Amino acid sequence: MDSVVQLQRQLVDYTVQLFNEGFLDDQFNQLQQLQDESNPDFVVEVVTLFFEDSERLLDELAKALEQQSVDYTKIDAHVHQLKGSSSSIGAQRVQKVCIGFRNFCEERNIEGCQKCLHQVKREYSLVKTKLETLFKLERKVLAAGGSIPWPM
Amino acid sequence: MLGMWKTNAPDEFVSVKFDMEMREGSSPSDGASSTPNSSGRRRNSAEAKEGLGFIMCKRLVQMMQGNIWISLNPLASAQSMTLVLRFQNRPSYGRATFAPGSSSEQPSSNPQFRGLRVILADDDALNRAVTKKLLEKLGCEVTAVSSGFECLSALNSAENSVRLVVLDIQMPEMDGFEVATRIRKVRSRSWPLIIAVTASAEDNVWERCLQMGMNGMIRKPVLLQGMADELQRVLQRAGEGL
C-alpha cells in the first residue's frame, strides 16, 4: 500500500503530465479554485456534466453527418456547444479540434467534417480516460488520509 | 450675497453668482471708479469708468466663461458688483469603495460583492454551473436560470432586489440582446446592471452590448479574476452615476 506522500507524488506527476501534453489548460485550475468545503465535489460534478454533454453531442454529430442532405448549421451549432463546454473545463485538445471543425462547417466540406468528428471523438475519449484516472488518484490520496495539493 | 442657479442650457453647466454690495466710502481694492453725475443723468454700467484692475478681472472672468459687471445706483455711483462664474457639471466621485489591498489578493476578499444579488442566465448546464460557482465564490447570491424567459420572470418576481444580471448572449429562443432590450424598456440604465457573457471574439460585440443597454461584457471562458475585475468596474461606474 503506497504511503500518502507517494500517492500525492503520483497525483502531482500525473497532473503535470496532463498539462504538459495539452490535455488540460489553465481553465481546469480555475475549476479547482472554485472547489471548497461547501462544494467539495465541484470539479467532479462539472466534469461529469461535461462527459454527459459531450457524449450526447458526439451522437448528434454522427447522426447529422450521416444524413443524405447535411445540415451544416445544425452541425455547427453542436460543435459550438462542444467547443464551449470543453473550453469551460479546460479540455484544451478537444477545444482545438472544434475550432477546425467549425471552419470545415463554414466551408461545407463534408470530408473535413468527417475527419474532424473522428478526431474529436478520439480526443474526447483520451481526455475522459485521463480525467477518470486523475480522479481515481485523488480518491486514493483522500482515502489514505492525505489532502489534494492544489494548485500544482 | 451668494446665489446659484441653473441656466436653460443643457445640464452641463452650473452658474454661481456673487453679488457684492459696495457701500459709500468704500471701494473694492482694484475697484471700479465712477463719477457721480451731477446732472442726474443715468448712465448704464457700460459707460461707467472702469479701473484697469477691473478691466483685467473682467477679461479673465470672461475667458473663464463667466461675467462680471457693476450695477449703478440712481446717482450713477457704483452700487454693487456682480460676478458670475460658470462650472462644468462633473460626476461626483461618490462612495464607491475600492478593493482593499493589491491585485495579488484573492478576488473573493472584495467586500463590495458580498451579498450582491445576481440572476445568471445561461442555457448550457455546464457553463451555468461553473459561472454560478464563480459568482458565489466572489460572495454573490446567485439565482441561476436557463433561458431568457426565466430570466425576465425571475426579475419580475424579485422586484427591485436584484442588482445584477449576468447574461449569456448566445441562447436559443431569446438571446441575451433581446433580454437586455426588454429589461431596459422598463428599468433604468443602472438597475439592474447587466453584464454580457459571450464566446465571440468580434470587435463590435461590445458596441452592440452598449446599444442594448448593457453595462459590461466578459469573454468566455469565464475566469475568476476576469469576472471580479469586470464586476468591480461596472459597480464603480454605476456608483459614479455614469
Side-chain angles (χ1 to χ4, degrees):
Chain A
M1 181 76 162
D2 287 333
S3 73
V4 175
V5 175
Q6 278 175 314
L7 288 170
Q8 281 173 328
R9 182 90 230 150
Q10 272 177 37
L11 176 59
V12 171
D13 287 347
Y14 192 68
T15 311
V16 168
Q17 192 190 347
L18 291 183
F19 275 87
N20 285 344
E21 291 173 0
F23 285 105
L24 294 176
D25 66 25
D26 190 55
Q27 187 63 19
F28 192 73
N29 279 327
Q30 287 283 313
L31 290 187
Q32 294 287 353
Q33 256 191 296
L34 294 178
Q35 186 161 284
D36 55 27
E37 308 78 46
S38 66
N39 249 144
D41 300 314
F42 179 67
V43 179
V44 172
E45 284 168 8
V46 172
V47 171
T48 307
L49 265 174
F50 169 69
F51 291 161
E52 289 167 3
D53 235 12
S54 304
E55 271 152 42
R56 178 184 57 87
L57 287 167
L58 289 172
D59 269 344
E60 296 287 331
L61 282 168
K63 267 190 235 161
L65 280 172
E66 283 165 15
Q67 299 302 308
Q68 281 281 35
S69 148
V70 176
D71 185 349
Y72 286 103
T73 315
K74 194 156 136 198
I75 294 180
D76 184 72
H78 290 322
V79 177
H80 173 82
Q81 246 191 298
L82 184 57
K83 173 168 168 277
S85 50
S86 59
S87 129
S88 287
I89 70 145
Q92 196 187 59
R93 279 159 68 145
V94 173
Q95 185 199 354
K96 284 201 170 137
V97 178
C98 288
I99 297 175
F101 203 150
R102 292 194 78 191
N103 288 337
F104 284 128
C105 280
E106 224 180 281
E107 295 168 16
R108 305 175 77 85
N109 181 332
I110 185 77
E111 268 178 37
C113 285
Q114 280 163 344
K115 212 169 101 190
C116 279
L117 178 59
H118 185 76
Q119 244 186 308
V120 84
K121 273 182 159 163
R122 191 172 155 268
E123 287 301 338
Y124 166 71
S125 166
L126 279 171
V127 81
K128 178 163 188 234
T129 311
K130 306 243 174 221
L131 282 168
E132 283 172 341
T133 308
L134 181 71
F135 291 146
K136 203 150 80 181
L137 280 172
E138 280 188 351
R139 284 195 296 272
K140 274 187 174 173
V141 169
L142 292 171
S147 60
I148 313 290
W150 209 276
M152 305 190 197
Chain B
M1 189 161 56
L2 176 67
M4 186 176 97
W5 82 98
K6 272 190 168 187
T7 63
N8 288 334
D11 278 355
E12 255 191 295
F13 297 99
V14 156
S15 297
V16 179
K17 184 183 182 189
F18 298 86
D19 276 338
M20 288 160 279
E21 208 185 293
M22 276 135 67
R23 293 212 194 83
E24 245 181 328
S26 73
S27 55
S29 46
D30 278 331
S33 55
S34 59
T35 325
N37 187 339
S38 51
S39 71
R41 189 178 59 151
R42 279 194 67 185
R43 294 186 201 184
N44 63 25
S45 56
E47 286 179 47
K49 274 196 191 147
E50 291 165 342
L52 182 61
F54 179 81
I55 291 173
M56 283 167 62
C57 283
K58 187 166 183 172
R59 183 82 187 102
L60 282 170
V61 168
Q62 282 170 345
M63 281 169 74
M64 290 191 279
Q65 316 278 310
N67 208 347
I68 184 169
W69 66 87
I70 299 167
S71 304
L72 299 177
N73 63 22
L75 292 176
S77 62
Q79 179 178 44
S80 66
M81 192 183 320
T82 306
L83 169 66
V84 173
L85 296 174
R86 203 155 78 124
F87 298 100
Q88 196 172 27
N89 245 334
R90 278 260 171 242
S92 69
Y93 290 91
R95 290 165 293 278
T97 51
F98 290 79
S102 66
S103 58
S104 60
E105 261 185 36
Q106 268 292 322
S108 50
S109 66
N110 190 327
Q112 252 194 320
F113 307 148
R114 198 137 299 140
L116 194 74
R117 289 223 39 206
V118 181
I119 292 185
L120 165 67
D122 192 326
D123 67 306
D124 183 84
L126 195 150
N127 289 332
R128 199 165 59 237
V130 174
T131 310
K132 177 171 192 232
K133 190 73 181 81
L134 199 149
L135 288 165
E136 285 173 346
K137 194 79 178 174
L138 293 174
C140 303
E141 248 184 66
V142 186
T143 306
V145 299
S146 58
S147 75
F149 292 106
E150 281 181 43
C151 179
L152 292 172
S153 62
L155 251 185
N156 283 334
S157 53
E159 290 170 357
N160 258 342
S161 62
V162 173
R163 185 72 185 96
L164 170 69
V165 175
V166 175
L167 212 43
D168 179 30
I169 294 210
Q170 288 105 2
M171 285 192 287
E173 288 159 14
M174 201 196 299
D175 69 19
F177 290 125
E178 212 195 311
V179 177
T181 308
R182 291 202 193 189
I183 293 176
R184 287 295 174 236
K185 267 205 185 117
V186 290
R187 308 282 183 119
S188 81
R189 211 192 139 75
S190 58
W191 197 290
L193 295 167
I194 303 179
I195 292 184
V197 178
T198 176
S200 170
E202 288 169 30
D203 288 326
N204 60 4
V205 177
W206 181 215
E207 279 170 39
R208 259 200 97 187
C209 288
L210 278 178
Q211 274 169 10
M212 301 291 158
M214 299 193 184
N215 307 89
M217 187 189 84
I218 282 211
R219 292 228 162 87
K220 288 189 209 175
V222 185
L223 302 175
L224 195 61
Q225 189 64 55
M227 177 63 90
D229 288 345
E230 184 65 356
L231 255 182
Q232 180 163 39
R233 189 190 72 85
V234 166
L235 284 170
Q236 227 162 276
R237 282 183 72 94
E240 290 170 2
L242 286 162

